[in-house]
Each structure stands twice: as C-alpha cells, then as structure tokens.
Amino acid sequence: MKNVGEQKNAQAQDTKQLLKIRREKLAELQANGRDPFVITKYDVTHHSQEVKDHFEELEGKTVSLAGRVMSKRVMGKASFCNIQDLQGNIQSYVARDSIGEEEYKAFKKMDIGDLVGLKGEVFKTKTGEISIHAAEVMLLSKSLQILPEKFHGLTNTDIRYRQRYVDLIMNPEVKDTFIKRSKIIAAIRKYLEGQGFMEVETPMLVSNAGGAAARPFETHFNALNEDLKLRISLELYLKRLIVGGMERVYEIGRVFRNEGLDTRHNPEFTLMELYQAYTDYNGMMDLTENLYRFVAQEVLGTTKIVYNGIEMDLGKPFQRITMVDAVKEYSGVDFNGIHTLEEARAVAKEHHVEYEERHSKGEILNLFFEEFVEEHLIQPTFLMDHPIEISPLTKKKPDNPEYVERFEFFMNGWEMANAYSELNDPVDQRERFKAQEEQLAQGNEEANTTDEDFLNALEIGMPPTGGIGFGIDRMCMLLTNSQAIRDVLLFPTMKSLS
C-alpha cells in the first residue's frame, strides 16, 4: 500500500498530466482554426430555469443557451451533458446525427468546465427530465484548469473565499446568497425612494476620518503631498448636505476600519447612512422598523426570519428599552442610583467588569451593557438613550443631559444599526470634539478629531435632523442565514499567501 505522501505525489502527477492534456487540446483547436478565444459573442435566448418554468409553451421550439459543462456522459453515437448557467442546470442530448460527425468528435473532446453555446429543441426525456435536443454545440471558452471533484465539491473555506469564482460554480447556494444580497440592496433603495430620499455619493479619501469610533487606514496622496485617510463613516459629509438644504439623503458605500477580522467584522464593509431633516431618533426608529419589514417581505416573502434555528419576527412591534433599564434588567445594577465615578468603579469591581482609568461613569455603564445585556437582544430591539461620553455627535436629552437621544438596533445579539437625534449646536459640538481630542491624547486611537469645516457647516445652520447608519453586511447575514460576514462578501479581506 502507498503511504499518504506517495498518494499525494501520485495525485499531483495525475493532475499535472490532465492539465497538460487540456493545453494540448487547446493547441490542437488553434492549429485547426477552431480557437475558442476568438469568438466574441453568442446569442442567448433563454436560461435553464426559464426553459423549465415555461416548458409547456417552449416544448418543440428551438432555444439557445450558454453555460459551463458540469458533467458529460458519452455513449457512442449519442451523449448527454449538463450545462450550468446563471439560473441553474439543464440537460442536453447531443447526437452525432443531429450536429454532424465532425462537430460530434469536437464535442467528445470537450472537458468538464468548458463554456459552450447550445442550440436545440426543448423536449422531455422518457424519465421526464426537461432537456435540450442539441442541433449545435459551440465551444466558447476552453477551461485549462480542473474543477473540484463533483461529489465532494469545494468545502475548504480558505480556498472558497480566495477563489470565489470557483465557489460560485461549485456551490449553487453561494450564488443564491449573492443574488439575494443584490435584491436586499435593491429593496432598500426602492423603499427609500418611496419615502422621498435621494441617493448621493461622498468622498472615500478624506483628511479627517470622523463620524465613528474606529481606527482609520492611512495613505499618502503624492500629487498634493498630503496624508489622507480612508473614510470610517459617511456621516459628516451627509450632514453637510442637510445643511445645504437636501432634506432626505442617503448613501450606500464601502467604509474602511483598521481593525480585526472575525465572523462579524471585515476591514472594508458596506454601510448605509441616511439623514432626514425635521425629525429625531423616534422618527428613525419608525423608519428602521418599516424598512426592515419591507425588505424582508420583498426579498423573502415573509416578515419572519430564522437564523441558527431561532425565529425572529419583524412583523411585531420592535421592543424599545433604555440602556439603563436594560442593564438593570440583566445585571441588577440600577445606574439611576449611581451618581459619581467612584460609585461606578465600585460597582464594576463588584460585578467583575474590567475598566480602564480613563473610563467615565457613562463608559462604565456601556461596559455593563456589553457584558450583561448585548447577547440577550435576540428579537428586534431598540436600545435607547446612551451616555453622552460615548456619543459625541448626538443631541442631549433635554430632561437628562447625562444621556443622549440615540439608539442602537439589535437583532440576534448583534448591533444592526446606530441612530441619533443629530447634534446641530456648533458650540456644543466643538466641546464634544475637544473631549474626543483629550481621549485621543490619552491613547484612545478610535477617538474623533476636530473637523473645522464640519463645525463651519453647523454654524451656517443645520435643522433638527434624525440620522442612522445600517450595517448592510449583517443585514444580509440574517436574511440569508449566513454564518460569517465573509459568506456575504464576494471578495472578503484575506491574508496574502506570499
């Protein structure tokens, strides 16, 4: 018996020989004037599922499809092959007497993975399978690599993410996920257009990356000899547009945060932010609730979604609870009764909540939330009224200035959205920026820095405004039952192999 090393070596030699044969086939085609790579187009009239769905009206009629050969069964003068296109798979019956002797010889030399154009009549086999009786099979592109073995498929996640093109070919459910993702984003746009919002675009390269607590990527712009950053948020430019009189604006775009990788985080991800003049965070709650219901109904046909076996009902009114009440419910600590930093530190030690010397009372409250509450917010929940120290761009609550008019939207224990009654007082905003600068000096790399142009915009005058940021990738994870953010990103960030 061969040992494992010998088996792997033999497999490598077999693969090398098969790849050599494919290149020899291409050379032969080119020498005979049949180079597939000179073909520039093929007229496609139908796709696989379309043929199956409309069989009764298409039976006996000629259609043309194009796709990848996924299996082939040669039986003398007649053969079967299976073609995969955008919509799925369809069988074709290929007979020598139908396509001609020379073309049949060429067909028999085709490999799994080759791209072909197929023209023929729609019929149903004796076993009841809808098929195409080929009158033409044209090689459109020669595959020089070997696809993963059919029955084992492509299961190695590292290879799947690095070679998404192969993943899409071998795993139909992956393609379905990304088709659904496209529909989710289209449904968001449809809903917002119906609400009078205008889609805009703002800069990705910025001198001041503000609007969120995150560490930015930095780069250098040679032409101006200036250091720039990749945006971490869409907020500050969109608010400038509100100042300019655009009352309802939104943007869906990539943002970049120089942070870690895990199942819910990728350094570049898709964020949607929207801003609406003359409303507040209550208006943003209503919008969020209605938007999520609309998208789920539009894409899934139901407002009930199941993730990891847990049903979440978007059709019911979303729970609304303050951070203080949530912490009290799940930890037993009532921060309404804690008035000093010393008291907050004492209760943190008592409950084994780790904090740093720079942390304020409000930040310790947030640490309690993260420790005791977050994982329990499974059903759609608005967590409201955050401490002012962690919300530098948000309006204070008029009756309790230690807290702000902010909410985070949670599902499945994940933060799905973050919203404010936007701070439009330029004097207050300058003081908040100053506090952030002090945090930056103390070592908080995620703190904001002062944006003088944004302050100038506020001094021009911004109306009362509600704003919100949605994590599109997490929304897609929930609505497609995907386990990791990489499963809903076509090309997730990966460590270089070199």
Side-chain angles (χ1 to χ4, degrees):
M1 285 183 64
K2 293 180 179 179
N3 62 35
V4 174
E6 289 174 332
Q7 287 178 339
K8 286 186 176 180
N9 186 55
Q11 289 171 354
Q13 289 299 319
D14 289 344
T15 300
K16 187 176 180 181
Q17 181 62 26
L18 290 171
L19 292 174
K20 181 172 178 286
I21 291 170
R22 290 198 178 205
R23 291 181 183 272
E24 289 172 350
K25 287 182 180 180
L26 174 61
E28 182 182 351
L29 287 165
Q30 291 170 331
N32 294 330
R34 299 173 70 99
D35 186 353
F37 297 122
V38 304
I39 297 170
T40 58
K41 62 175 291 188
Y42 190 81
D43 292 327
V44 174
T45 63
H46 295 78
H47 285 84
S48 55
Q49 193 60 45
E50 189 180 359
V51 171
K52 294 175 182 178
D53 290 344
H54 300 92
F55 172 72
E56 291 182 1
E57 59 192 80
L58 290 175
E59 186 178 13
K61 294 182 180 178
T62 298
V63 297
S64 62
L65 303 89
R68 193 177 298 274
V69 178
M70 297 303 290
S71 65
K72 212 172 80 169
R73 186 158 42 101
V74 177
M75 303 177 298
K77 298 178 183 179
S79 303
F80 285 94
C81 68
N82 193 278
I83 305 300
Q84 178 175 293
D85 63 12
L86 174 67
Q87 295 182 354
N89 290 269
I90 194 162
Q91 178 178 267
S92 178
Y93 173 69
V94 184
R96 185 191 66 182
D97 294 344
S98 298
I99 67 171
E101 190 166 346
E102 287 302 311
E103 294 303 319
Y104 190 62
K105 284 181 182 177
F107 167 77
K108 289 200 291 183
K109 289 184 177 181
M110 290 180 187
D111 291 306
I112 304 302
D114 285 352
L115 287 155
V116 300
L118 185 73
K119 184 181 289 186
E121 287 187 3
V122 178
F123 78 109
K124 191 176 284 187
T125 64
K126 291 179 181 178
T127 59
E129 184 170 355
I130 295 169
S131 306
I132 309 296
H133 189 145
E136 170 188 278
V137 183
M138 181 185 293
L139 181 62
L140 303 178
S141 182
K142 183 70 186 164
S143 176
L144 300 179
Q145 284 286 353
I146 300 169
L147 292 175
E149 194 270 319
K150 178 182 175 183
F151 295 102
H152 294 97
L154 180 62
T155 57
N156 182 299
T157 53
D158 188 73
I159 295 175
R160 284 184 52 225
Y161 297 143
R162 290 184 189 278
Q163 299 183 16
R164 183 67 85 186
Y165 41 91
V166 181
D167 189 26
L168 291 166
I169 293 167
M170 299 307 299
N171 297 314
E173 70 280 3
V174 172
K175 186 186 292 183
D176 291 343
T177 292
F178 288 104
I179 290 172
K180 198 168 285 183
R181 178 188 172 107
S182 179
K183 290 179 178 178
I184 289 166
I185 294 173
I188 291 170
R189 287 191 164 107
K190 181 178 178 181
Y191 177 79
L192 291 178
E193 184 178 359
Q195 297 298 309
F197 281 85
M198 180 172 72
E199 185 172 10
V200 298
E201 295 174 311
T202 61
M204 291 190 182
L205 285 170
V206 295
S207 57
N208 189 334
R215 183 179 179 182
F217 287 94
E218 299 180 0
T219 187
H220 185 78
F221 183 24
N222 293 336
L224 294 180
N225 193 27
E226 284 187 358
D227 291 331
L228 295 174
K229 299 177 178 69
L230 289 172
R231 66 185 182 187
I232 59 173
S233 167
L234 313 173
E235 180 167 346
L236 300 185
Y237 280 97
L238 291 175
K239 285 182 177 178
R240 287 167 166 91
L241 299 181
I242 294 291
V243 171
M246 295 182 174
E247 295 183 1
R248 298 187 182 206
V249 293
Y250 78 97
E251 181 174 7
I252 298 174
R254 283 290 174 103
V255 296
F256 310 87
R257 299 182 181 179
N258 200 350
E259 300 170 345
L261 290 161
D262 60 31
T263 56
R264 284 186 282 159
H265 295 89
N266 195 70
E268 55 175 310
F269 61 97
T270 303
L271 182 66
M272 181 183 75
E273 291 196 29
L274 64 85
Y275 293 85
Q276 179 179 339
Y278 310 114
T279 191
D280 62 2
Y281 75 145
N282 292 298
M284 292 297 101
M285 284 188 234
D286 294 339
L287 184 147
T288 302
E289 201 162 331
N290 292 331
L291 172 65
Y292 260 78
R293 281 195 194 116
F294 178 86
V295 172
Q297 190 66 51
E298 187 88 354
V299 177
L300 306 178
T302 178
T303 57
K304 292 182 179 179
I305 65 171
V306 177
Y307 189 83
N308 281 346
I310 299 172
E311 183 177 278
M312 288 166 266
D313 192 351
L314 295 164
K316 295 179 180 177
F318 295 2
Q319 181 186 13
R320 303 186 181 196
I321 187 170
T322 67
M323 183 181 282
V324 169
D325 287 345
V327 167
K328 181 180 178 181
E329 180 177 338
Y330 289 100
S331 75
V333 176
D334 185 358
F335 269 76
N336 282 326
I338 294 173
H339 304 291
T340 67
L341 176 58
E342 288 70 25
E343 290 173 340
R345 287 174 173 174
V347 79
K349 288 177 182 176
E350 183 183 335
H351 287 78
H352 309 291
V353 174
E354 294 184 7
Y355 64 89
E356 297 177 21
E357 285 301 308
R358 63 182 175 85
H359 284 146
S360 64
K361 186 185 84 169
E363 288 169 317
I364 291 174
L365 167 62
N366 188 55
L367 293 173
F368 266 81
F369 165 74
E370 292 173 351
E371 179 71 25
F372 293 103
V373 182
E374 196 166 358
E375 64 181 334
H376 298 289
L377 303 183
I378 303 300
Q379 295 301 320
T381 302
F382 293 121
L383 182 90
M384 305 158 51
D385 301 351
H386 294 54
I388 191 170
E389 296 95 328
I390 62 168
S391 311
L393 299 165
T394 316
K395 274 194 173 183
K396 299 173 185 175
K397 290 184 68 65
D399 58 344
N400 193 353
E402 288 188 10
Y403 297 91
V404 296
E405 293 191 348
R406 173 185 173 187
F407 73 80
E408 290 174 290
F409 173 50
F410 282 86
M411 286 180 68
N412 193 50
W414 302 349
E415 179 201 336
M416 306 297 294
N418 187 22
Y420 313 148
S421 295
E422 302 296 336
L423 179 60
N424 61 343
D425 178 346
V427 177
D428 190 356
Q429 182 64 79
R430 183 174 290 280
E431 289 301 310
R432 307 274 192 99
F433 275 142
K434 183 179 178 182
Q436 287 285 299
E437 295 273 11
E438 290 172 359
Q439 286 195 26
L440 191 65
Q442 293 171 14
N444 182 2
E445 294 181 334
E446 296 184 346
N448 283 208
T449 55
T450 303
D451 188 327
E452 290 293 345
D453 183 72
F454 176 65
L455 288 170
N456 184 65
L458 291 186
E459 288 178 356
I460 295 292
M462 186 173 88
T465 298
I468 189 166
F470 288 89
I472 298 296
D473 304 311
R474 290 185 188 178
M475 184 182 196
C476 291
M477 286 175 67
L478 281 184
L479 295 183
T480 62
N481 199 23
S482 298
Q483 299 307 300
I485 192 170
R486 290 181 175 187
D487 295 328
V488 296
L489 297 176
L490 279 167
F491 301 102
T493 302
M494 305 286 289
K495 184 175 176 60
S496 174
L497 291 173
S498 57

